[in-house]
C-alpha cells in the first residue's frame, strides 16, 4: 500500500523565476524507510517542507495516506512526526518540560519517559536544553518527533552529530519503529545510514529526480560486474580481475584460487558515496 | 480552546524563564519610584506616557526579541508542525504580551493610587491595553517580518517611531490647528497615549471610541493581511 504518492510536483519560491522543484513523481510504500538524497540546493528540503505542509502553494498532486494532502488541516500533524536537523527546543526549559509542552498538543502520546531512557537522556531529563551537547539535542529531537506515535515520520539527518554508539541506538530505534508498520522518510548525507536503513532511495539534482531505486538495485546498476583477487605472487601482492558472468566456469579464476595464496577477494560493488557522485555529478553531498 | 490556553501558558512560562517578565517588572519599579517622588498633578500627567511605553513600545521590542530568539532556537518551526493553527500560535503570543503589559501598567497606575490617591478604572485599562498591544504587536510583527535580525528590526522601529512623531511636532509648532488635532490619533502611539490619558482626565468621547476602534481595526487588519500570510514563510526560512 502506498503511503505517499507524488505526481507532477512543481514549486517556485516567491520572487524567483526558476522552479526549485521541476515536476517530480515518486511514491513511498507504507511501512518502508525512504531516503531522500541530493546535493545542497537540489530541492530535497523544499520537497520535505511540501510533504510536511510547511509549504502549501505547490503545483501537482500529493496523496497522503489515501487523501489529497491539501485536504488535511491541523489534524495532519496528529499522524505525522517531523524531526528537524537543527535544534528545535526551548533552551531555557528542561528536556522534560519541552516534551511535556509539546506532548500536550497531541491527542495521543507515546511513553516518552521510556523513550528518553532508550536514547540515554533520562538522567538529563531535568537539565535545561540549552546546556545539552549537539548529540543530546539530536536525540531529544528524535523523541519529540515520536511524541504522537506518528504513522509517518520525517527525519532530517537523524544521526548527524552522534557518536557511533548512540548512532546505532538511533538506527535500531528507527528500524524498530518501522517494524510497527510505520513509514519513515529520511533526509541524510550519511550513506552508511542509507545502506543500513533505507528500503528505497531517491536522488535529487537541481529540482529533478535523477535516480529512484533500492540501495541494492543501485549497487548492481552502478557497480562493476567483476571480481578482483589479490594474491601473494612470490612476496609481492599481485591482483587479477575476472568478469562476474560465468565466474564459476572461468578456468583461469579457478586455477588462481587453487594455485595461488589468495589474500583478498572483492566484488566490483560500488559504494553509495560513489553512486551519489555518479548520479548527481556532485563531489560534495548534503 | 484548550490548545490556545496551553500555548498561552507556555508563552507565559517562557516569559518568566527568559526573565522577560522580571526585567519588565524591574523597569516598572523604576517608574513606581519616579511616581512616588512626583506630585499628584505631575504624576497624573506622566502616568499615561509611562503606561503607553510599557504597553506599546515595550511590547514591540519584546516581541522582536522573542521572535528572533525563537527563530534561532527553531521552536517556532516545531510549533508549525504541531496540531495547532497559526491563528492559535499568534493569539497566544498576543495574549502573553497583554499579560506582560498588564503587569507593568497595573504597577504604574496602581502606584498612582497608592502614593497620590489617583483612582483608575481597571476594566477600561484592560480594554485599552488589549487594543494597544494588539495594534503595536501587529506593527512589531510587520517590522520583524521585514528584518534580518533583532538589530535591523530595532533600527526600523526607531525610524518608524520618529516618523509617527512628526504629527505631534507639527501640532506643537502650530502647523496642525486645534480643530484638526484628531489627526494626531492616526499615530498608534499617540492614540494609545490618548486612551490611557482619558482614564484620569477629561477627554472627547468620540475620540476615545475612534481611537479604540482605530487601534483594534489596525491590529486586526495587519495581523490578517500582512502578518498571517508571511509569518509561516519567514519562520521556516533560513
Amino acid at each position: 500500500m502506498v503511503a505517499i504518492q507524488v505526481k507532477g510536483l512543481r514549486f517556485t519560491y516567491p520572487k524567483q523565476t526558476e522552479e526549485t522543484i521541476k515536476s517530480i513523481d515518486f511514491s513511498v510504500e507504507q511501512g518502508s524507510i525512504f531516503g531522500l538524497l541530493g546535493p545542497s540546493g537540489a530541492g530535497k528540503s523544499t520537497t520535505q517542507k511540501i510533504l510536511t505542509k510547511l509549504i502549501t502553494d505547490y503545483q501537482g498532486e500529493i496523496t497522503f495516506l489515501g487523501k489529497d494532502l491539501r485536504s488535511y488541516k491541523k489534524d495532519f500533524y496528529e499522524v505525522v512526526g517531523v524531526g528537524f536537523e537543527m535544534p528545535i527546543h526551548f533552551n531555557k526549559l528542561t528536556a522534560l518540560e519541552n516534551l511535556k509542552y509539546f506532548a500536550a498538543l497531541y491527542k495521543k502520546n507515546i511513553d516518552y519517559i521510556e523513550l528518553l531512557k532508550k536514547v540515554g537522556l533520562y538522567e538529563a531529563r531535568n537539565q535545561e536544553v540549552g546546556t545539552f551537547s549537539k548529540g543530546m539535542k539530536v536525540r531529544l529531537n528524535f523523541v519529540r518527533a515520536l511524541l504522537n506515535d506518528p504513522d509517518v515520520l520525517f527525519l532530517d539527518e537523524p544521526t548527524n552529530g552522534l557518536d557511533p554508539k548512540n548512532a546505532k541506538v538511533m538506527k535500531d530505534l528507527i528500524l524498530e519503529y518501522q517494524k510497527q508498520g510505520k513509514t519513515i522518510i529520511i533526509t541524510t548525507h550519511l550513506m552508511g545510514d542509507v545502506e543500513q536503513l533505507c528500503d528505497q532511495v531517491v536522488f535529487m539534482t537541481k529540482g529533478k529526480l535523477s535516480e529512484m531505486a533500492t540501495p541494492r538495485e543501485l549497487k548492481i546498476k552502478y557497480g562493476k560486474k567483476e571480481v578482483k583477487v589479490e594474491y601473494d605472487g612470490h612476496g609481492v601482492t599481485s591482483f587479477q580481475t575476472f568478469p562476474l558472468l560465468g565466474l564459476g566456469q572461468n578456468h583461469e579464476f579457478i586455477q588462481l584460487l587453487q594455485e595461488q595464496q589468495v589474500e583478498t577477494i572483492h566484488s566490483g560493488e560500488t559504494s553509495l558515496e560513489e553512486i551519489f557522485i555518479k548520479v548527481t555529478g556532485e563531489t560534495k553531498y548534503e | 480552546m484548550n490548545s490556545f490556553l496551553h500555548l498561552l501558558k507556555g508563552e507565559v512560562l517562557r516569559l518568566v524563564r527568559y526573565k522577560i517578565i522580571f526585567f519588565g517588572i524591574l523597569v516598572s519599579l523604576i517608574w513606581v519610584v519616579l511616581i512616588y517622588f512626583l506630585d499628584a498633578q505631575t504624576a497624573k500627567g506622566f502616568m499615561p506616557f509611562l503606561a503607553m511605553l510599557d504597553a506599546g513600545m515595550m511590547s514591540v521590542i519584546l516581541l522582536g526579541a522573542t521572535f528572533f530568539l525563537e527563530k534561532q532556537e527553531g521552536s517556532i518551526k516545531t510549533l508549525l508542525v504541531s496540531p495547532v493553527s497559526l491563528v492559535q500560535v499568534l493569539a497566544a503570543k498576543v495574549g502573553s504580551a497583554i499579560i506582560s503589559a498588564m503587569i507593568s501598567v497595573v504597577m504604574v497606575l496602581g502606584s498612582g493610587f497608592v502614593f497620590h490617591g489617583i483612582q483608575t478604572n481597571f476594566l477600561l485599562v484592560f480594554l485599552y491595553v488589549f487594543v494597544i498591544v494588539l495594534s503595536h504587536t501587529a506593527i512589531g510583527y510587520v517590522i520583524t517580518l521585514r528584518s534580518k535580525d533583532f538589530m535591523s528590526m530595532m533600527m526600523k522601529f526607531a525610524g518608524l517611531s520618529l516618523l509617527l512623531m512628526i504629527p505631534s511636532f507639527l501640532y506643537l509648532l502650530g502647523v496642525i490647528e486645534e480643530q484638526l488635532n484628531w489627526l494626531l490619533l492616526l499615530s498608534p502611539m499617540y492614540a494609545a497615549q490618548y486612551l490611557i490619558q482619558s482614564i484620569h482626565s477629561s477627554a472627547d468621547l468620540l475620540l476615545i471610541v475612534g481611537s479604540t476602534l482605530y487601534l483594534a481595526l489596525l491590529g486586526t487588519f495587519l495581523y490578517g493581511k500582512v502578518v498571517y500570510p508571511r509569518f509561516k514563510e519567514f519562520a521556516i526560512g533560513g
Side-chain angles (χ1 to χ4, degrees), chain B:
Chain B
M1 191 61 186
N2 281 344
S3 294
F4 165 72
L5 289 177
H6 181 72
L7 289 171
L8 180 62
K9 206 172 120 189
E11 291 289 337
V12 174
L13 175 66
R14 288 198 294 283
L15 288 181
V16 173
R17 287 293 174 84
Y18 288 86
K19 295 190 168 51
I20 288 170
I21 285 197
F22 170 77
F23 284 109
I25 291 174
L26 203 68
V27 171
S28 300
L29 277 176
I30 297 170
W31 303 149
V32 169
V33 173
L34 188 71
I35 289 164
Y36 173 77
F37 285 109
L38 295 174
D39 62 79
Q41 200 52 40
T42 317
K44 207 173 177 180
F46 204 48
M47 283 191 315
F49 174 70
L50 296 179
M52 192 281 292
L53 270 185
D54 281 337
M57 312 280 270
M58 284 303 283
S59 60
V60 174
I61 295 166
L62 293 181
L63 175 139
T66 50
F67 181 87
F68 284 108
L69 187 73
E70 287 182 1
K71 189 168 190 269
Q72 196 182 10
E73 284 181 330
S75 44
I76 296 182
K77 221 189 223 182
T78 313
L79 281 176
L80 295 177
V81 293
S82 302
V84 289
S85 67
L86 185 52
V87 172
Q88 286 174 317
V89 172
L90 289 172
K93 290 192 179 299
V94 175
S96 66
I98 289 171
I99 291 169
S100 169
M102 273 305 284
I103 293 171
S104 302
V105 171
V106 166
M107 279 179 74
V108 168
L109 300 183
S111 64
F113 174 74
V114 173
F115 301 133
H116 306 293
I118 302 166
Q119 299 276 349
T120 298
N121 180 342
F122 279 99
L123 266 179
L124 271 184
V125 171
F126 180 77
L127 172 70
Y128 295 160
V129 166
F130 179 82
V131 292
I132 292 167
V133 172
L134 182 74
S135 55
H136 282 73
T137 52
I139 293 168
Y141 269 126
V142 171
I143 300 169
T144 301
L145 298 179
R146 284 175 165 73
S147 306
K148 277 188 301 185
D149 50 37
F150 182 60
M151 277 313 289
S152 70
M153 178 255 165
M154 285 299 289
M155 296 286 282
K156 284 176 186 166
F157 180 55
L160 181 72
S161 301
L162 281 174
L163 196 72
L164 292 175
M165 278 179 194
I166 291 174
S168 301
F169 282 124
L170 294 177
Y171 180 71
L172 285 173
L173 294 171
V175 178
I176 294 178
E177 291 172 8
E178 182 69 34
Q179 60 268 34
L180 290 175
N181 69 346
W182 60 270
L183 275 175
L184 300 179
L185 297 173
L186 290 177
S187 158
M189 288 171 204
Y190 192 86
Q193 196 178 331
Y194 186 83
L195 284 180
I196 302 278
Q197 212 160 9
S198 71
I199 294 168
H200 298 131
S201 315
S202 60
D204 188 331
L205 183 66
L206 197 64
L207 292 184
I208 292 173
V209 175
S211 297
T212 310
L213 284 176
Y214 169 61
L215 291 180
L217 291 174
L218 179 71
T220 310
F221 173 79
L222 290 178
Y223 269 110
K225 295 289 174 192
V226 186
V227 181
Y228 184 85
R230 289 207 64 198
F231 187 91
K232 198 170 177 180
E233 184 196 328
F234 192 82
I236 62 170

Side-chain angles (χ1 to χ4, degrees), chain A residues 228-242:
Chain A
K228 182 181 174 184
V229 182
E230 285 184 332
Y231 59 94
D232 181 11
H234 309 292
V236 182
T237 302
S238 305
F239 73 89
Q240 260 188 281
T241 53
F242 303 95

